[in-house]
Each structure stands twice: as C-alpha cells, then as structure tokens.
Amino acid sequence: MMAEQQKGKKEKKEKIPRQPMPQRPLEERRTTFKEVPLGYSPEQAILEASRCIMCTKPKCVEGCPVEIDIPGFIQLIKEGKFIEAARKIKEQNSLPAICGRVCPQEDQCEKTCVLGIKGEPVAIGRLERFVADYEREHSAVTKPEIPPPTGKKVAIVGSGPAGLTCAGELAKMGHQVTIFEALHLPGGVLVYGIPEFRLPKDIVAAEIDYLKSMGVEVKTNHVIGLTFTVDELFDMGYDAVFIGIGAGLPRFLNIPGENLCGIFSANEFLTRVNLMKAYEFPRSDTPAFIGNKVAVLGAGNTAMDAARTSIRLGAREVHIVYRRTRKEAPARIEELERGEEEGVIFNWLMAPVRFIGDERGWVKAMECIRMELGEPDESGRRRPVPIKGSEFIMEVDMVIHAIGTNANRLLFQKAPDIKLNKWGYIDADPETGATSKPGVYAGGDIVTGSATVILAMGAGKKSARAIHEYIMNKK
Amino acid sequence: MGARILYKEELAPKVMKFIIESPTIARQTKPGQFLILRVHKDGERIPLSIPATDPEKGTVMLVSQEVGKTTAMLNDLEVGDEIYDVVGPLGRPTHIEKFGTTLAIGGGVGIAPLYPIVKELKKAGNYVVSILGGRSKEFVIMENEMRSVSDKVFICTDDGSYGEKGFVSHVLQHLLKDGREFDFCITIGPPIMMKVICDITRPYGIKTYVSLNTIMVDGTGMCGACRVSVGDKTKFVCVDGPEFDGHQVNFDEMMKRLAMYRKQEELAYKAYLEKRKEMSRH
C-alpha cells in the first residue's frame, strides 16, 4: 500500500512514455533474415532509464530468475555509464545480449515493475540489450578476474543456455571446464532453433568467445551417450558433470499421414535454416523445402519462429493452426504481433485430424476439426473440446509441427543410474540440480521440459554453485 | 573435430574407400553404427556407415559412393586432406545372437556396412550364407572380406559380368525353392532391393532385418527428418535404428521421403560437376 502511494506520487511527475523499439521496415522484414528490432539509441536508452523510479524494494528483481540488480544497472544508464551498466548485469547474468532479446520480460521483471500497475513498465529488456550491445560494439568486453586454478575439472554436456551459464559460472570460480556439444557448432537452441532475425548468430558466437577467453574449452561433435558415456567422462578425470542437453525429440500428433513428404518438425525446418544456413542454398549445401501454403501447428515461440521463417523463404500464405485461442497461445505477445504484421494468418480453435497426400506422397491437404474451450485442465488453461461434425478440409502443401518436444533418452541408455521422472525428464533437485547419480547435476529443459532461455540459465547458475560445493568438499 | 585421410582407394567407379584418423570413433564403434560428416564449413551433414575400424591404430574405414554434391566433394578429397568434421558413432549397434543359419544379403555399397555385422554374426556361431550383388563385376565390392566371414557366398550381377546374371532376389528365390532353410536374414542395399527381399522372406517366416539410410540432419533424434513408419509406429532411424524388422517397414513411404529434396540435390550436384570440370581444365 505504502509503496503504491509513493509510486503514485512519483508517477505524476513522470510524463515520459515508454520508448518504442525502433524496428526494421516491414517491407524489408518479409525478405530478410536480418534482425527485426534495431535497438535503442543512447539518447533513447537514457530517456527510458529515466522512467525508472528506483523503488527501494524493487519488485522487478524478484521477477528475474537470475536476480539481476535491475535498478543498479538502470541508474548507471541514467548517468550515461553504459559499459559499467553492462558489467553490473554481468555480475548476475553472463549472457545479457541474448536475454535482452529472447527473455519473456512481460512475464518476469516487467510484469512486476510497479510502473506497470497503472501505466507501462520500464522496458528493462530493451535496456539490457542496449548496454550489452554497446559494450560489445565498443570492444569493451573484458575478461573477468579469474581466481587461481582449483585443479578441478567439470564436464558440461550441451552448449545451450543452461550449459553456457553453468560453464561461465564455474570458470569464474577457477575450475577447468569443458563443454561437450553434439552438433558442429556450440550454442544449442540459440543457434539451431532461434532464427537470425530474432537472435543474430554472431551475438551467440561472441558470448561463446567470451567463455573461451575465460578458459572454457568447447568440444563440438561429441554426443555424450555415444561418443563417450557419462561414466567415461568421470574416467577421463572430470570431477563433476552437468547435463544441459535440452528437451530434444520433436513431438508429432500421431495422426494418419504424418510421414508424408512436406511434413516437418519445427526442429528440422529451423535447424536446416538456422544452423545449416539453408536460406543461402545453394551457396550453403543444405536445402530446405518451402511450400506455397504453409500450416504451422502450435502457437508457441517456436511456432512463430517457424511461421516467420516461412514468410522470409517466400511462402505465399502462412497459417498458424492452434486448438485454443490467442489468449492461451504460449508465444510472447510481441512475437504474435510481429508475425501478424508480417502477414501470418491465425486460425484459432482448430486442430488437424489427418493429413491427406497426393499420388507422389506429398501432403496436399489436412482435415481439421473446430474446437471450443471447455473446463480448465491441470495446466489451468481451458481444455479444447472438438465440435462434433465440424470437420473440414484445409488445403496446404507444407505442415510444420511446433507442438513441443519430449526428452531425448540417448544419453540415459548408457547411464541407467540417472533417475528420470514419469515424463522421461531428469529427476533433479530444483535447488541444486543434483541428480540421483553422485557428481552429476542437470538443469534446463531436460529437467523441466520445454521452457525459456532464462529459466535454463537460472538452473545452470544454481547447479554451478552446487557443483562448486561438491567438488571442493569431495575427499 | 576433423579427421585426416590416411588412405584412399577406388573400389568401383565413383565408389571410394577411405581410411581416416578418428581414434575415439575407432574405439567406440560397434557393428551397425554410423557417423555423420561434413566436408567443409558450409557443408551438409550426411550419414555414412562404418564398415570397419581399427581401435589400436585409431582408424576408421569409410566407403562413399558419389550420388550428389557432398559425396562428390568427399570423393575428391585426397590422402592428407582433412574431412571438416566427423561425429559418431551414432545409432544403435546391431543385436547379435546365434540365430542358426543366417542369410546376409548385400547390394552394391550396402555390402560395406554388412561386413562388420556378418563378422560378428559369424563370431557368435551362426552359419552364414552371403549373397552379394552389383550392377556389374566391379560393383561387387569387399568380396574377399565377405568370404572371410561367410560359410558360403553367392554372387550375382545385373549384367552377368560376374557370378549369376540377375538380382540378389533371384538368387534368394532359387535358394528358397531348393528347400534351403534360414533362421535369420540381414540385408543392406538400395531401398527397393531391401523391400523386395523382405517381400520374399515374409511368406517363409524368416525374420529379416534391414539397415536404413534415410535423410538426416543432426543424427541424434532432434529433428525427425529420418522418420519412417515401422508397423503402426513412427520411428527415428538415427536413434531407434538404423536397423529395423524389415517386414514392418513401410518402404514405399521411405522411398518417397528419400526423394524429397531431389530437385535441390540435382541442382547442387550439377553446379559442382561444372565446377569440377572447370578445375580439371586448369
């Protein structure tokens, strides 16, 4: 109550509106993979920062999974100390240029910002992005102080947000860290999943170079579970292992016709385009297929990435098909809006029941059914119920499944002593990431199922602390 | 992680055998597994089976048939060159047991991945009857290796230039008509060949396994490009396979999926052949 009154007083003084994000012109967006939001200018950043009322008990920090000192870095921006502001963030978050772009701030720090109660919250994410970019573009990124080597070795399995964060934290404590990545490039979902127009790949590469400058070793083309087992990592002298392999296996609907040509998982489509650079084919060797009329199943961020990628590859019509409504769509509002601007057509309360192929085995249509919302299910969202007799045919020549993933069990075939939960994810202590196998920790999607970059980073950070405790107290 | 080429030999027109340096893969590979490689920085990831390894020397054998740009570029590499990156071993190893009398049917470059499997089956005490086929004599590769691990070997070629004239399926039909009995069959070769073999063995109730080589991207279960229908289930060749009960595999669907990028593949291959011509002129 007190805080609110206080805020009310200050807000009357504040007339500056939330600074809009400059964006690439719409016409250009539909044909280029270049980043859409262009970032604040220093003037805009200072103006936006000046909106912050510097709460004594900042709610925004409570909303941040890695507890960044948000008023602290915003104060530095107000003073024009952009590089210092970036370093302030880096005390808690080693990947600010990435989080400033892909974090769902509206559900985290900006959701709890007191300015948001009556007006618009401070654009914390945009400010985070601004200072991280400023630091990088002014070549002001410096290596943090690294304490003398502890002589302890840690293996990190997977180089996505969880693994990178865990690696960075452990390196900062003086441990020798090796990241094992299955693909030929490190970054995990940041490079194979999230498109260039949302997260430029040189930003990810710069963050990985930063880790390397701290002494972290990155071994690509190593599939743990096949190239080496977890036990073999211990035999090789690692004192602890962190598993951050993400939630790998794409889900399909298990309806007739799902293996027709022209039907893909979002993982495949996005990996071809992002990791393998299919948008440059034939200059790059990997092709991607693009249809005239594309249906993307699902309405999460991955679905929006697939839909917006389809537009850029030249699809004439791109449809999102989702069994609930816009209100339940898991994608960020910003992503839905950008997709809409670019021409994505939304089909709510609708689901395919079978795919229909032509004589060459290519998808030519899908039979769909209309849905209505019933009682809330265990996720709290109202359950979609099919409307009997509402079936109809929708012509499509490409379908992309973006309906989530299941745990990839590849690593566990050779590590039966790592206990899994009933969904096949790792049963890990939520506070430490400790698994049932001594010395093995886990975090990110392989523990929680599909979630966000920042939650994976938070888990990587917690595990790093627990791993440090474990290896320093061992024997 | 690149891999240096230590040895190169032409086994048949457009079919090269390589020995590459890859100590970890050499040590970890079991029969039936494969690897994925790229030949340059912007290269495609292609799966290739592992016909033999030498764990002591840390070397891995590859057999590559030129069918498109990536295999053409691979086959143009010479001893001393490095394959840009190699990852593996991938896939599940073959399930080996003593079945009794075992048929091993290989067609063309499919003989290469068949060899290590047959070697293990023989070691496990099976009586191995091998049928090897190729378009013509030169395409019947690794005959000596296969003879060294088989109890009986039949050879056939499409043009009759070596062994019996006809397909491996004809030889199989003759054997079955003669009343020969088999407890198990493993077959690796072109999809249409594996399909025909499965159709022949089905009525005889001979359990028949096939090793599939579908389009893959990551090879670790992440993308699903390689999915096939096995019975009424969708399986991923990379992590559930590459071997499956051939009587359950929907080969027609698989063959259509294999042709999904044919247009782009032809475009890229043609461009490379032009480039290769250009290079040989200089």
Side-chain angles (χ1 to χ4, degrees), chain A residues 431-434 441 461-471:
Chain A
E431 285 313 307
T432 64
Y441 295 76
K461 196 170 169 178
K462 278 183 187 167
S463 282
R465 279 186 218 136
I467 289 170
H468 176 75
E469 286 283 301
Y470 172 78
I471 53 183

Side-chain angles (χ1 to χ4, degrees), chain A residues 82-373:
Chain A
F82 304 140
I83 288 163
E84 288 82 349
R87 290 187 186 148
K88 173 61 77 184
I89 300 175
K90 279 188 170 174
E91 288 170 10
Q92 299 301 326
N93 174 0
S94 48
L95 309 170
I98 294 171
C99 290
R101 287 172 166 82
V102 301
C103 262
Q105 288 98 8
E106 66 276 16
D107 289 328
Q108 297 172 355
C109 51
E110 295 181 18
K111 187 182 190 176
T112 49
C113 172
V114 292
L115 287 193
I117 300 169
K118 281 188 177 162
E120 288 210 277
V122 176
I124 300 166
R126 295 170 185 174
L127 291 174
E128 179 183 31
R129 171 192 156 141
F130 168 76
V131 293
D133 287 356
Y134 189 91
E135 186 196 27
R136 191 183 63 257
E137 284 158 12
H138 288 77
S139 309
V141 178
T142 50
K143 208 172 81 173
E145 290 265 311
I146 306 269
T150 60
K152 303 288 182 186
K153 288 170 71 183
V154 183
I156 309 281
V157 185
S159 63
L164 292 180
T165 306
C166 191
E169 293 296 318
L170 288 164
K172 272 194 260 177
M173 297 173 196
H175 304 303
Q176 192 188 328
V177 181
T178 308
I179 300 178
F180 293 93
E181 165 57 45
L183 291 168
H184 56 266
L185 276 182
V189 71
L190 306 171
V191 297
Y192 76 74
I194 303 176
E196 181 78 17
F197 55 80
R198 207 148 72 81
L199 178 61
K201 299 308 152 225
D202 26 345
I203 288 173
V204 182
E207 299 289 11
I208 288 159
D209 284 345
Y210 176 70
L211 289 183
K212 284 183 183 166
S213 78
M214 286 160 61
V216 173
E217 184 189 15
V218 180
K219 283 179 181 265
T220 53
N221 293 311
H222 279 73
V223 185
I224 302 307
L226 286 166
T227 310
F228 299 117
T229 63
V230 172
D231 285 330
E232 282 168 330
L233 292 176
F234 284 110
D235 295 343
M236 286 155 70
Y238 291 100
D239 299 289
V241 175
F242 175 77
I243 301 172
I245 55 175
L249 299 178
R251 238 179 251 162
F252 290 90
L253 282 169
N254 294 322
I255 58 175
E258 71 182 7
N259 294 336
L260 286 165
C261 297
I263 300 183
F264 304 85
S265 72
N267 270 7
E268 178 185 355
F269 179 63
L270 292 172
T271 300
R272 283 179 179 274
V273 179
N274 300 331
L275 176 74
M276 307 308 296
K277 303 257 176 277
Y279 61 90
E280 292 181 350
F281 181 86
R283 203 198 62 71
S284 65
D285 287 348
T286 308
F289 173 78
I290 189 71
N292 282 318
K293 191 171 171 186
V294 181
V296 179
L297 312 179
N301 290 320
T302 306
M304 293 314 300
D305 286 346
R308 297 174 65 201
T309 297
S310 299
I311 284 185
R312 283 161 175 76
L313 289 180
R316 246 178 269 154
E317 246 180 63
V318 179
H319 292 258
I320 285 280
V321 173
Y322 184 54
R323 56 197 185 125
R324 293 182 161 105
T325 71
R326 187 178 186 119
K327 218 177 107 209
E328 290 83 20
R332 297 181 63 190
I333 295 161
E334 186 178 295
E335 296 306 316
L336 294 171
E337 284 171 355
R338 288 199 183 127
E340 202 160 35
E341 288 162 14
E342 289 165 12
V344 174
I345 303 160
F346 293 95
N347 302 266
W348 309 115
L349 293 168
M350 185 174 139
V353 290
R354 72 182 170 108
F355 301 109
I356 302 159
D358 65 13
E359 62 291 340
R360 296 175 309 127
W362 283 78
V363 65
K364 64 171 186 184
M366 51 186 200
E367 185 179 322
C368 296
I369 190 161
R370 304 255 177 229
M371 313 289 263
E372 58 191 353
L373 291 183

Side-chain angles (χ1 to χ4, degrees), chain B residues 135-169:
Chain B
R135 255 183 292 154
S136 60
K137 182 171 195 263
E138 52 211 326
F139 288 97
V140 182
I141 62 167
M142 296 179 71
E143 184 192 333
N144 289 337
E145 285 93 333
M146 285 300 292
R147 284 196 186 276
S148 72
V149 294
S150 308
D151 294 282
K152 195 134 189 50
V153 176
F154 295 91
I155 289 180
C156 61
T157 49
D158 300 2
D159 63 358
S161 56
Y162 189 43
E164 200 174 315
K165 185 177 185 320
F167 298 140
V168 286
S169 49

